[in-house]
Amino acid sequence: MSGMPSAEIREAFLRFFEARGHVRVPSSSLVPEDDPTLLFANAGMNQFKDVFTGRARSELRRATSAQRCVRAGGKHNDLDSVGRTLRHNTFFEMLGNFSFGDYFKREAIGYAWELLTTVWALPPDRLWVTVFRDDDEAAALWRETAGLPEERIVRLGEKDNFWAMGETGPCGPCSEVHFDRGPEHRCAAPECGVGRCSCDRWLEVWNLVFMQFDRDAAGELHALPRPSIDTGMGLERIAAVLQGAGSIFETDLFRPIIAAVEELSGRPYPEGEDRLPFRVIADHARACCFLIADGVLPSNEGRGYVLRRILRRAARFGRRLGLEAPFLWRLRAPLARAMDGAYRELELRAGTVEAAIRAEEERFAETLESGLALLDRVVEEVRSSGGRHISGETVFRLYDTYGFPLDLTLDVAEENGLIVDTAAFERALEEQRRRARADRRARARAYGEGPALEDLPATTFLGYDQLRAEGEVLALLSGQSRVEEARPGDEVTVVLDRTPFYGEGGGQVGDHGELRAGPADGGARLRVTDTRRAGRGVFLHIGRVEGGVLRDGAGVTAEVDAGRRRDVERNHSATHLLHRALREVLGTGVHQAGSLVTDERLRFDFTAEGPVAAAELRRVEALVNAHILDPLPVEWFVTDLDDARRMGAMALFGEKYGQRVRVVRMGDWSLELCGGTHVGSTAEVGLFHLTGESGIGSGVRRVEAVTGPGVLAMLVAGRAELERAAAILRCRPGEVALRVADLAERLAERERAGAAAERREALDRAERLAAAAVELGRDGSAFRLSSAELPGVGVDGLRSLADDLRARLGSGAVLLTGGGAGHGV
Ligand code: SER
């Protein structure tokens, strides 16, 4: 490998466009912000989607970026091509330049040609382009600007030359630049050529999209306010070209990772087909590290599931190289080296990334073990019954119960010459998904989410500083249906225009309390036993009418159960103190991965490399208590997300926030993004006590705790227990431990004495029985027989007696019966 290092290529690209009036914009996270249409960032243009469509007002006219992307799932999915071609990745970096209604085709083509042939000096005769079939304008520009002959401008259809990021959103015709790797890479296909063949002779290096449309959910195209430009160049591919590498995997972006795999497996990177496992592992390691650094953790759904599949696929390919123990996590360090400092996330979250990968590898190893054992039995059964098919139900059970992936079952089946009924598997899977969807719908209906709420405005939340407020009933629901009124005993959901009730969210449970209407309004009393939030900020008060008649449109006084709310707030503020203390004690690799705050307790999940030592837990607890006993004021304010980040506010790992965020501050010790409610001073938390620590999945630990009244309740219960024990032992509570130790010692002494007496007795018995043994047989074959019936002696006693007897008899036989049926020895 030689040529320009990839770090320089990245920088040269960005500088080239900066020099031409483009603003350098940092890569966004792989987890798209506020875009449910997208699984992962899959192109540089994603973060500018609303700028293209005009939905976001922006001063930006020209931009350039190096965007981290993952194409594994959704519209763009390259997972299965990885390693089989020389050019596909799941994770890759996309270099791009963008015009938002500023320049269009002419400049985009001109810039591309200049960078490729002048700055990077690629031979023009190795470059080919494709254009959308009737885009004469683009074809003419390539002829004029680049001087490309007609035969190197290939016209293709929608599949190749119309680019869209997803089913909806900005899109347009595009034009791709391909690099010809040379006739020596020609494939066997007679028609081999750009756009006609997908072999590795032709390497698409740059895609210029002429953004002109916005596709809506019905598939209709609407013209964008102003035509724009979105280009994307895979850094890995251009590095392969500029470094003269045989493939992307032989560039400096991959070599350190592949070298690490060579070292771990003790096998050299081979030639030809055998390279597949090395390449897949290197590619997948990059995807796993970057995804976890951006907050995705392996799980069974959505993004977490895609990550799990990628990670497990890499682990399987590792097995082909003899790598059975967790190894993938060790590839983070070489990856970070290969990235040459371009992505600080890989260093900042090193501990989290490695711990999460390692834990998932361990979990997969267990899955493999139990699943393979089961699958072996299935294979055996199928074979011995002379069959050739493994049923879809069996494969589904393996998948559903043991998390055993279909592709692995397929591999094992193939090795054994068996066939899997994949269609039946798909049907079983679809049936399970259908049930899950129906469940979700039923749950949503139970909370009145549905069409009945669609026309309601977002509820104004007053509960940060009020526990009682006047509001108006905007809707009354029984189940899913709007009703006019509710009577005593009726279970209803009430929507108000404004409310002091906190709706469950951010881990904090919903408020309880009461809604009361004046006598003129029906005099209703409704006991609220839960508050939730439906979509679009509509708060749902769920409860039961206890008296009067509650009418749609009534004015009500809404009053939160203040005692319960205060307990919830103690636990919520303690959660922030705990988060901060964990980072202090365990390091900044700790990131919140979920929490639950109720009136009785709190639960906090966080990323960590392994169990937290008891001494560390004690330090965490002491640190939290120190900030309660030496209290801090608790305040909050609303600011821009960027400001909050600059101030160093802690955020939920992997969570996406809007532009304006609420920040909760506790003195100068803790600063955290949070929408929940809190005490006014940490002194109100009272006291803090950790009640447990455990692991709940790949690289995630959970601690549980109680505060204030919860600690008091534990103290009282503990003291009562101690007093009970003291009464039984007839001592004072302070003497319980001594008294128990004394008793334990006396008991052990007695047991020792009892065992010795039993042994003596057994030996005496053996002696007696040996003496009473009868001689049988003749000279030469004489032996002694000892037999006895010993009712009441158990099987162990009989066995040891038989051993003692055998030792005494020399050559002889022993026949003993005792205890009951079947106990003869
Ligand atoms: N969005 C286009 C692509 O991903 C160009 O950046 O190919």
Side-chain angles (χ1 to χ4, degrees):
M1 184 206 79
S2 57
M4 194 188 277
S6 52
E8 272 176 38
I9 300 175
R10 192 191 289 117
E11 190 54 32
F13 183 98
L14 297 170
R15 287 242 177 95
F16 176 87
F17 284 102
E18 271 181 322
R20 284 155 187 78
H22 294 65
V23 177
R24 186 191 291 220
V25 177
S27 170
S28 74
S29 163
L30 281 171
V31 179
E33 218 159 291
D34 301 329
D35 190 347
T37 68
L38 203 58
L39 196 61
F40 299 117
N42 67 9
M45 54 73 63
N46 295 161
Q47 64 169 321
F48 305 114
K49 182 174 160 181
D50 289 345
V51 184
F52 281 118
T53 57
R55 266 178 220 114
R57 284 230 316 273
S58 167
E59 298 297 308
L60 208 56
R61 308 302 301 264
R62 297 178 174 210
T64 181
S65 69
Q67 171 68 45
R68 46 187 189 272
C69 300
V70 165
R71 291 192 174 174
K75 181 168 163 47
H76 297 276
N77 185 356
D78 291 333
L79 183 57
D80 294 324
S81 304
V82 172
R84 301 190 194 282
T85 71
L86 300 177
R87 59 185 194 278
H88 284 100
N89 286 142
T90 50
F91 169 86
F92 65 99
E93 285 177 81
M94 187 181 275
L95 303 169
N97 57 293
F98 308 94
S99 146
F100 309 107
D102 189 27
Y103 61 85
F104 199 43
K105 292 183 191 179
R106 175 177 296 278
E107 291 85 344
I109 289 174
Y111 290 152
W113 193 252
E114 187 187 348
L115 179 60
L116 291 172
T117 58
T118 310
V119 180
W120 286 338
L122 289 179
D125 58 353
R126 301 281 288 275
L127 297 173
W128 289 62
V129 301
T130 64
V131 296
F132 188 51
R133 62 183 169 240
D134 40 19
D135 193 350
D136 296 332
E137 190 190 356
L141 284 167
W142 281 116
R143 276 197 307 272
E144 274 172 36
T145 330
L148 274 182
E150 192 64 43
E151 65 273 17
R152 277 199 281 133
I153 303 173
V154 181
R155 291 175 187 256
L156 297 173
E158 196 152 319
K159 188 172 131 302
D160 296 286
N161 278 99
F162 193 93
W163 198 87
M165 69 172 259
E167 298 311 325
T168 60
C171 51
C174 63
S175 177
E176 296 170 352
V177 184
H178 292 250
F179 180 74
D180 178 0
R181 297 179 61 235
E184 67 276 23
H185 297 281
R186 193 173 198 292
C187 75
E191 74 281 6
C192 180
V194 169
R196 292 197 298 269
C197 169
S198 61
C199 77
D200 278 317
R201 172 172 177 180
W202 314 104
L203 187 62
E204 180 209 329
V205 289
W206 206 341
N207 185 15
L208 316 181
V209 184
F210 311 127
M211 285 292 185
Q212 275 170 289
F213 306 104
D214 184 12
R215 198 193 301 264
D216 68 18
E220 296 278 323
L221 292 180
H222 304 276
L224 287 183
R226 285 160 311 180
S228 298
I229 290 295
D230 147 36
T231 87
M233 168 188 278
L235 173 64
E236 296 74 8
R237 293 184 180 184
I238 195 69
V241 172
L242 294 175
Q243 294 174 8
S247 83
I248 51 177
F249 301 102
E250 277 76 52
T251 63
D252 62 345
L253 290 162
F254 283 87
R255 283 301 307 184
I257 312 175
I258 290 186
V261 179
E262 286 181 295
E263 194 175 316
L264 288 168
S265 66
R267 300 185 193 199
Y269 187 44
E271 290 297 324
E273 288 284 295
D274 296 341
R275 291 183 157 179
L276 185 68
F278 286 87
R279 290 174 168 174
V280 171
I281 292 168
D283 171 87
H284 289 10
R286 295 195 337 148
C288 293
C289 291
F290 273 101
L291 282 170
I292 296 172
D294 272 344
V296 184
L297 288 171
S299 76
N300 265 343
E301 50 185 31
R303 300 188 173 103
Y305 183 60
V306 176
L307 168 60
R308 171 163 280 171
R309 278 192 57 200
I310 297 176
L311 199 154
R312 292 185 169 198
R313 191 161 185 261
R316 279 179 42 220
F317 276 94
R319 282 178 155 69
R320 292 203 194 167
L321 300 181
L323 291 163
E324 302 249 325
F327 69 95
L328 204 57
W329 65 278
R330 294 183 195 271
L331 301 181
R332 186 211 55 86
L335 163 62
R337 272 201 307 283
M339 283 297 165
D340 202 9
Y343 294 97
R344 284 181 62 238
E345 301 69 356
L346 289 176
E347 296 296 354
L348 290 175
R349 293 185 163 169
T352 304
V353 169
E354 292 184 359
I357 295 182
R358 193 174 178 168
E360 178 67 10
E361 288 187 271
E362 277 162 7
R363 181 184 281 223
F364 183 52
E366 282 165 27
T367 299
L368 273 183
E369 223 165 88
S370 45
L372 277 176
L374 192 71
L375 189 55
D376 282 347
R377 279 207 301 280
V378 172
V379 168
E380 202 39 56
E381 271 166 33
V382 174
R383 279 174 146 186
S384 60
S385 65
R388 289 204 55 210
H389 288 84
I390 304 185
S391 79
E393 288 72 32
T394 308
V395 181
F396 181 73
R397 190 155 47 84
L398 274 163
Y399 162 84
D400 196 38
T401 318
Y402 298 92
F404 205 67
L406 173 67
D407 35 5
L408 195 50
T409 307
L410 289 172
D411 280 356
V412 175
E414 197 185 323
E415 278 158 24
N416 287 282
L418 301 178
I419 298 162
V420 170
D421 187 351
T422 39
F425 170 81
E426 296 293 345
R427 277 199 301 279
L429 192 63
E430 189 42 45
E431 172 59 17
Q432 189 202 41
R433 290 204 182 113
R434 198 193 55 71
R435 275 199 309 273
R437 275 198 301 271
D439 266 11
R440 269 201 301 279
R441 272 202 301 275
R443 268 204 305 279
R445 267 202 301 278
Y447 291 110
E449 283 189 40
L453 292 175
E454 249 151 37
D455 54 341
L456 295 172
T459 312
T460 306
F461 177 59
L462 308 167
Y464 287 130
D465 34 38
Q466 286 177 25
L467 290 181
R468 198 167 86 172
E470 308 299 320
E472 186 191 325
V473 176
L474 296 188
L476 207 52
L477 289 111
S478 166
Q480 262 236 95
S481 330
R482 291 277 280 263
V483 289
E484 285 302 309
E485 56 175 48
R487 298 187 163 268
D490 288 352
E491 307 270 353
V492 282
T493 298
V494 184
V495 178
L496 304 176
D497 58 342
R498 50 216 293 271
T499 184
F501 281 70
Y502 183 81
E504 181 180 313
Q508 179 176 334
V509 293
D511 275 331
H512 291 187
E514 200 172 60
L515 304 185
R516 287 186 302 272
D521 257 340
R525 245 184 22 258
L526 178 106
R527 176 128 310 275
V528 179
T529 49
D530 200 3
T531 310
R532 301 206 167 217
R533 287 181 230 183
R536 305 180 332 281
V538 177
F539 282 47
L540 308 171
H541 305 78
I542 297 156
R544 190 186 175 95
V545 181
E546 293 192 326
V549 179
L550 185 62
R551 298 204 183 95
D552 195 0
V556 292
T557 303
E559 184 159 1
V560 174
D561 175 342
R564 181 176 177 280
R565 163 73 91 79
R566 226 179 0 257
D567 287 341
V568 173
E569 290 177 345
R570 278 186 242 281
N571 283 333
H572 202 155
S573 299
T575 307
H576 287 211
L577 294 176
L578 168 65
H579 187 181
R580 180 66 179 74
L582 282 166
R583 286 169 72 94
E584 185 88 14
V585 173
L586 302 179
T588 46
V590 166
H591 295 281
Q592 178 171 357
S595 70
L596 174 70
V597 176
T598 75
D599 50 333
E600 289 174 345
R601 66 198 176 95
L602 65 97
R603 195 172 82 194
F604 186 76
D605 299 341
F606 59 99
T607 54
E609 296 178 30
V612 188
E616 286 170 335
L617 287 175
R618 274 198 304 279
R619 271 174 58 210
V620 167
E621 192 178 73
L623 209 48
V624 173
N625 279 316
H627 288 91
I628 295 170
L629 298 174
D630 200 356
L632 301 168
V634 181
E635 308 145 312
W636 60 270
F637 55 92
V638 174
T639 184
D640 275 351
L641 181 59
D642 292 341
D643 278 342
R645 291 233 160 95
R646 259 195 297 282
M647 287 183 249
M650 295 187 290
L652 188 62
F653 191 44
E655 178 78 359
K656 292 295 146 232
Y657 296 90
Q659 211 30 58
R660 299 286 290 168
V661 291
R662 183 170 180 268
V663 182
V664 174
R665 174 165 49 208
M666 300 186 177
D668 55 7
W669 204 59
S670 153
L671 198 65
E672 195 164 325
L673 299 192
C674 176
T677 67
H678 287 269
V679 295
S681 154
T682 56
E684 291 171 55
V685 175
L687 210 51
F688 172 85
H689 177 63
L690 283 173
T691 53
E693 192 270 348
S694 56
I696 55 162
S698 307
V700 181
R701 309 293 305 176
R702 166 171 291 177
V703 287
E704 293 176 75
V706 289
T707 63
V711 181
L712 192 59
M714 279 187 71
L715 276 179
V716 170
R719 192 174 56 202
E721 192 64 23
L722 192 63
E723 281 169 354
R724 250 199 320 277
I728 296 169
L729 296 167
R730 296 183 208 291
C731 65
R732 288 203 304 274
E735 296 165 348
V736 165
L738 258 182
R739 182 59 70 91
V740 170
D742 186 34
L743 280 176
E745 178 53 34
R746 291 216 308 255
L747 196 61
E749 178 55 37
R750 266 193 206 177
E751 278 170 2
R752 276 196 296 275
E758 264 175 39
R759 186 76 194 125
R760 265 196 312 279
E761 197 179 310
L763 290 174
D764 285 352
R765 179 181 278 161
E767 201 62 49
R768 282 197 305 279
L769 287 173
V774 287
E775 295 272 349
L776 293 173
R778 294 205 188 90
D779 286 350
S781 64
F783 70 97
R784 300 165 73 197
L785 171 69
S786 174
S787 68
E789 210 172 309
L790 302 163
V793 179
V795 71
D796 289 342
L798 290 178
R799 269 210 193 101
S800 81
L801 183 56
D803 289 343
D804 288 342
L805 266 172
R806 259 208 305 271
R808 283 175 169 72
L809 290 179
S811 157
V814 177
L815 181 67
L816 300 173
T817 60
H823 279 181
V825 177

